[in-house]
Amino acid sequence: MTDQSMVELVGDIGGTNARFALAREGDVRPHAIEVLPCGEFDNLDGAIRAYMERVGVERIKDVCLAVAGPVPSPNDPNAQVRMTNNHWRFGLQAIREQFGLRSFKVINDFTAMALGVPHVPQEHLIHVCGGPGDASRARLVIGPGTGLGVSGLVPLRDGWVPLMTEGGHVDFAPTDEVEIAILQILKARFGRVSVERILCGQGLLNLYQAHAEIQGVAAPLDTPAKITAAAVSDADALARHALRHFCEILGRTAGNAALTLGSVGGVYLCGGILPRFIEFFLESPFQAAFEDKGRMRPLMERTPVHVVTEPYTGLLGAAEALRNPEVS
């Protein structure tokens, strides 16, 4: 057992896996990182106890968890967290009492992603386009994954305030006849069409199938991974066309959000999808679409855009949230 009797614990809880780590006061870099399959545990408390045993920790004093799903008010004594994509359900007060915690914060997973971005090492940032920007201005954090996450960071004198948004659910706005046809196809399937219906893993499949319908050809690939692999290897023209279009729509969407937020401080593309085809992405129409904002083009050209490849950005953000008074 470690000689630390009381430590800080951070976690990033997804639908499939729970990532846990220890954090030191004054240092957001997580250590003792372990990944536990959610399906092996009945609930959160069992996973925490398994992690503590694995890393030799007897007690924890402060905990911050990033979760994929709605976050209840911390002021509600009966607040319950219901995970979106796994079976875990837990009460905030019950966990506090069970582990004797001094503090227990639960934040949205993309809020954690945003808070983690300022702590990502330079070697885990891939420059896509744009100039130096203005470090004193807001930053946009956006990224396709299971859904389309959108958050932002507003600078304070000594830190950042994260913005909790549902920006992935804004309307898909077509810009040409092909995209109008795509909108009509997806509207017939879903009713309202948010941009997340295209800019996520399942969205890539939706886009691929819509292009097949427009072109009157077969769509044999049935998963986002197969589409991506076929596009990158140039084995399927339809897959390549769909993935390039995916990148273009992401560029326009990120550009719109950057204008809305005024994020001259930078745009950070997070999530697990883009790093899987980074060379393809860098040669895609993303930059042209991002910068194509008419009279605002010079502003967009000055705004730096990076792909974040840090695998534990969410844990960095959870550690930052522990000591950030703007995060309750």
Side-chain angles (χ1 to χ4, degrees):
M1 286 286 180
T2 179
D3 58 0
Q4 298 179 21
S5 59
M6 299 181 72
V7 296
E8 298 176 337
L9 182 143
V10 294
D12 187 1
I13 317 297
T16 303
N17 294 312
R19 296 168 177 83
F20 292 110
L22 302 180
R24 301 181 180 92
E25 291 190 17
D27 183 6
V28 300
R29 295 301 305 181
H31 63 283
I33 297 172
E34 297 282 347
V35 181
L36 281 63
C38 297
E40 294 184 4
F41 303 93
D42 291 335
N43 216 330
L44 172 67
D45 57 341
I48 291 178
R49 292 194 184 281
Y51 171 77
M52 291 171 64
E53 182 176 349
R54 186 174 296 188
V55 299
V57 168
E58 295 178 336
R59 292 187 62 193
I60 49 179
K61 63 175 180 176
D62 299 310
V63 173
C64 181
L65 301 180
V67 300
V71 176
S73 168
N75 299 319
D76 180 359
N78 301 311
Q80 297 277 326
V81 175
R82 297 177 178 271
M83 299 295 297
T84 300
N85 295 313
N86 73 38
H87 61 282
W88 288 3
R89 308 284 186 271
F90 57 91
L92 301 190
Q93 188 59 32
I95 294 294
R96 285 192 191 97
E97 293 175 356
Q98 191 170 352
F99 291 94
L101 301 179
R102 181 177 66 179
S103 67
F104 180 35
K105 294 183 178 182
V106 178
I107 61 176
N108 176 265
D109 59 341
F110 225 80
T111 301
M113 197 77 75
L115 283 169
V117 158
H119 302 288
V120 171
Q122 193 64 36
E123 61 265 26
H124 288 300
L125 295 174
I126 297 175
H127 183 254
V128 178
C129 58
D134 183 345
S136 68
R137 297 283 297 277
R139 301 182 185 185
L140 171 69
V141 182
I142 184 170
T146 305
L148 177 65
V150 181
S151 185
L153 292 170
V154 177
L156 295 178
R157 181 175 299 176
D158 298 315
W160 300 91
V161 176
L163 301 179
M164 289 171 277
T165 87
E166 292 295 342
H169 296 280
V170 301
D171 296 323
F172 168 55
T175 61
D176 58 28
E177 294 301 319
V178 171
E179 289 188 354
I180 290 172
I182 291 170
L183 175 64
Q184 292 170 338
I185 290 168
L186 297 184
K187 188 176 179 62
R189 289 178 59 186
F190 302 115
R192 178 180 179 270
V193 182
S194 70
V195 73
E196 187 179 71
R197 293 293 189 184
I198 293 173
L199 296 181
C200 68
Q202 179 63 37
L204 175 59
L205 181 60
N206 294 339
L207 186 62
Y208 168 79
Q209 292 171 340
H211 274 295
E213 184 173 336
I214 291 167
Q215 296 178 26
V217 299
L221 305 176
D222 58 1
T223 68
K226 291 178 183 178
I227 295 168
T228 301
V232 170
S233 64
D234 207 9
D236 185 289
L238 179 63
R240 189 171 183 85
H241 179 65
L243 190 59
R244 283 179 59 82
H245 197 191
F246 178 96
C247 297
E248 179 185 346
I249 295 171
L250 178 59
R252 286 209 310 272
T253 302
N256 290 342
L259 286 175
T260 301
L261 185 59
S263 54
V264 185
V267 173
Y268 295 83
L269 304 172
C270 293
I273 290 182
L274 298 183
R276 297 174 189 169
F277 56 92
I278 190 64
E279 294 302 325
F280 183 100
F281 178 74
L282 293 175
E283 296 174 356
S284 79
F286 173 90
Q287 178 178 353
F290 179 81
E291 295 175 349
D292 186 17
K293 298 301 180 189
R295 290 169 292 173
M296 291 295 103
R297 174 179 287 276
L299 180 68
M300 306 309 288
E301 291 175 344
R302 292 198 304 270
T303 301
V305 180
H306 294 87
V307 172
V308 179
T309 61
E310 164 64 55
Y312 299 115
T313 309
L315 290 177
L316 287 170
E320 164 65 26
L322 273 177
R323 49 195 53 83
N324 189 322
E326 303 299 328
V327 181
S328 57

